[in-house]
Amino acid sequence: MIENTKQIDTEILKPFPNVKIVDSSSWDVSPELKEIFGGFGGDASDANCKVQFMYEYKSASILMVEETRGNMPDQRYSKNIASLINKDELLLTDLGYWQFDTFYEVVQRGGYFLSRLNTQVNIWHKTEGDYKKLKIENLIYNQMSNSIEVEVFLRKNDTDQDIAVRIVGFRMSEEVANKRRMKLRKEAKKKGRVPTDRSMKLCDWSFFVTNAPEHLIPSEKIHIVYRIRWSIELVFKSWKSVLRVHLSNIRRNHNRLRCELYAKLILATIVHMIYNRLKFYAWHKKRKEISLYILWQFIISRAESLHKTIRVSVDRFLRKINRLLPLMIKTCEKNHQVSRKTTLQLIDEPSNTPKPKKLTLKDLEVLEVSCLT
């Protein structure tokens, strides 16, 4: 029966009871709703609706949905996230949610986090019990290795609070690095600025930070595990392209807008219950993945029939869905070249990436001296 939630497992994800991803999506609404759904104004919209969303990857479950005004920064909302993370769970976030207090509370609750590193924050190492500031750009100074790892601390200014973390960096291809530099110049030009030499050099590398130890997330797999975060973008894509969650004819009544929004999200929750069973079966029986987007197309193509059934009774709807499961599995499997592995397959298989070079305290001291001379 589809109501029993099941989780996929791989060797790396097995130690984590849940892998929780948080992100947001926003869209413009009628300007007459700006008092409730404030936008940024100016060149942007006066009224904007944002949805904060938490997604559990292993079960494909929707854990939290909250609508907010569009001009609320994700970083400010970040303070609400830590309370949703329990012992041994893994939280994946992007830079928009970077907040020391959030990470610190996750650690205090016995959880783990994995994020891209905010290269604007200070990192620290300890020498004889004293904190010493470390410049992230020094780690890549004359670096010959294509990947590095260092154990350091994140620290909140003027407090004794710190978080022991691993920072793992991977050198990007020249093509990717050049695209990053082009984007950096373009964004700086809009603001009438010129990118700093430091920012341009850091485009050559991608840095990740986690408090999870090596035996839970091997350093060479960190960037692959982080790719799981993109599954939430596929959810947003289905919401907008199929559910049309961002489109509404409502102009003034914010309560009616909310009713319309949550009706669509209830449908999304039902579809994810189905997706959970399909994903579990396809992975554990076939080592294949199910396309959420194709599943949505399958459901929409039978929307009228399913709607009539659920109006009769939920029990009859569930029986109809269970009869359709074999056809769904056959129809909705992801199609890709054999040579191109999915994220789950990459996580599950032995890594071809060499283990990153681990920088010791002595290496850090040598780098510091080299960068000063």
Side-chain angles (χ1 to χ4, degrees):
M1 297 293 290
I2 65 168
E3 60 267 34
N4 297 325
T5 300
K6 292 181 176 290
Q7 290 187 325
I8 57 160
D9 262 323
T10 69
E11 284 305 308
I12 287 183
L13 299 184
K14 195 173 291 183
F16 306 109
N18 293 294
V19 178
K20 296 179 176 179
I21 312 169
V22 65
D23 207 345
S24 68
S25 183
S26 64
W27 53 87
D28 293 340
V29 294
S30 167
E32 295 182 58
L33 295 169
K34 65 181 179 181
E35 296 300 321
I36 304 296
F37 298 105
F40 287 95
D43 294 334
S45 171
D46 288 333
N48 186 274
C49 177
K50 178 183 285 189
V51 168
Q52 295 287 349
F53 179 54
M54 181 172 280
Y55 180 70
E56 204 288 299
Y57 177 75
K58 294 170 69 174
S59 64
S61 299
I62 296 175
L63 300 182
M64 179 275 292
V65 180
E66 182 179 354
E67 44 85 11
T68 69
R69 62 185 189 277
N71 57 10
M72 174 183 278
D74 291 339
Q75 189 177 39
R76 184 185 302 175
Y77 189 85
S78 179
K79 65 182 181 181
N80 301 316
I81 296 170
S83 62
L84 302 175
I85 308 300
N86 300 311
K87 190 175 186 298
D88 295 329
E89 294 182 339
L90 178 64
L91 170 67
L92 301 180
T93 68
D94 69 5
L95 285 175
Y97 292 86
W98 183 280
Q99 185 73 257
F100 177 90
D101 290 341
T102 301
F103 294 148
Y104 186 79
E105 187 178 343
V106 167
V107 174
Q108 296 305 301
R109 296 174 66 87
Y112 302 102
F113 64 86
L114 171 59
S115 171
R116 295 184 75 90
L117 176 69
N118 181 349
T119 56
Q120 301 302 313
V121 304
N122 294 324
I123 57 176
W124 308 78
H125 64 89
K126 280 185 179 179
T127 304
E128 298 179 353
D130 294 327
Y131 291 103
K132 202 166 186 180
K133 192 182 294 185
L134 181 66
K135 294 181 179 179
I136 190 68
E137 60 268 28
N138 288 359
L139 299 181
I140 58 176
Y141 180 77
N142 287 339
Q143 186 59 250
M144 301 302 294
S145 178
N146 286 324
S147 56
I148 57 173
E149 177 187 3
V150 61
E151 295 180 358
V152 292
F153 292 87
L154 300 178
R155 187 184 178 205
K156 189 171 183 179
N157 292 337
D158 304 323
T159 72
D160 294 329
Q161 295 178 352
D162 64 21
I163 308 172
V165 296
R166 293 188 293 143
I167 292 177
V168 182
F170 298 91
R171 192 190 300 273
M172 296 291 96
S173 67
E174 186 175 352
E175 180 183 1
V176 171
N178 286 336
K179 284 182 179 179
R180 287 181 169 185
R181 279 188 272 269
M182 286 177 61
K183 183 179 179 181
L184 198 63
R185 291 191 188 98
K186 186 176 180 180
E187 290 176 349
K189 187 176 181 181
K190 285 182 180 179
K191 299 176 181 179
R193 302 174 184 170
V194 176
T196 63
D197 290 340
R198 176 182 183 274
S199 299
M200 298 295 275
K201 289 176 182 176
L202 289 176
C203 288
D204 288 319
W205 289 76
S206 278
F207 292 98
F208 301 88
V209 60
T210 184
N211 68 318
E214 172 76 18
H215 71 272
L216 289 182
I217 308 181
S219 302
E220 66 273 20
K221 288 269 192 177
I222 273 184
H223 60 310
I224 298 173
V225 173
Y226 188 75
R227 281 176 55 174
I228 289 173
R229 202 196 70 79
W230 286 102
S231 61
I232 204 169
E233 300 294 343
L234 299 179
V235 175
F236 289 146
K237 178 182 177 182
S238 68
W239 285 6
K240 290 187 175 180
S241 61
V242 182
L243 272 181
R244 306 289 184 181
V245 71
H246 62 305
L247 299 179
S248 176
N249 292 322
I250 296 167
R251 293 290 174 261
R252 296 181 180 180
N253 192 327
H254 62 88
N255 289 321
R256 187 174 175 184
L257 179 67
R258 286 189 172 108
C259 287
E260 184 180 292
L261 171 61
Y262 280 95
K264 293 175 180 177
L265 294 177
I266 288 170
L267 175 58
T269 302
I270 294 172
V271 172
H272 273 272
M273 290 171 61
I274 300 168
Y275 181 52
N276 162 250
R277 176 48 59 96
L278 298 179
K279 185 177 180 179
F280 177 85
Y281 178 88
W283 178 248
H284 286 276
K285 297 292 184 182
K286 299 177 153 187
R287 272 317 189 245
K288 291 188 177 181
E289 291 190 66
I290 296 295
S291 168
L292 178 60
Y293 183 76
I294 297 175
L295 174 60
W296 268 109
Q297 298 297 327
F298 184 98
I299 297 293
I300 293 301
S301 68
R302 291 161 175 79
E304 185 176 351
S305 172
L306 292 171
H307 182 240
K308 288 179 180 178
T309 305
I310 201 171
R311 288 183 64 183
V312 174
S313 74
V314 173
D315 185 61
R316 184 174 293 188
F317 173 78
L318 291 175
R319 290 202 301 269
K320 185 179 183 72
I321 289 294
N322 283 316
R323 288 197 301 270
L324 287 171
L325 288 179
L327 180 59
M328 289 182 187
I329 291 170
K330 181 179 179 180
T331 305
C332 302
E333 281 184 359
K334 281 186 179 179
N335 296 315
H336 58 85
Q337 298 175 5
V338 177
S339 59
R340 295 186 64 183
K341 305 291 185 182
T342 67
T343 299
L344 258 182
Q345 290 170 337
L346 289 171
I347 290 173
D348 200 45
E349 294 177 359
S351 176
N352 294 323
T353 305
K355 207 162 188 64
K357 176 185 176 182
K358 193 162 185 176
L359 302 180
T360 65
L361 182 59
K362 186 176 180 180
D363 292 327
L364 297 179
E365 291 171 346
V366 171
L367 280 170
E368 186 177 11
V369 171
S370 299
C371 291
L372 290 173
T373 58

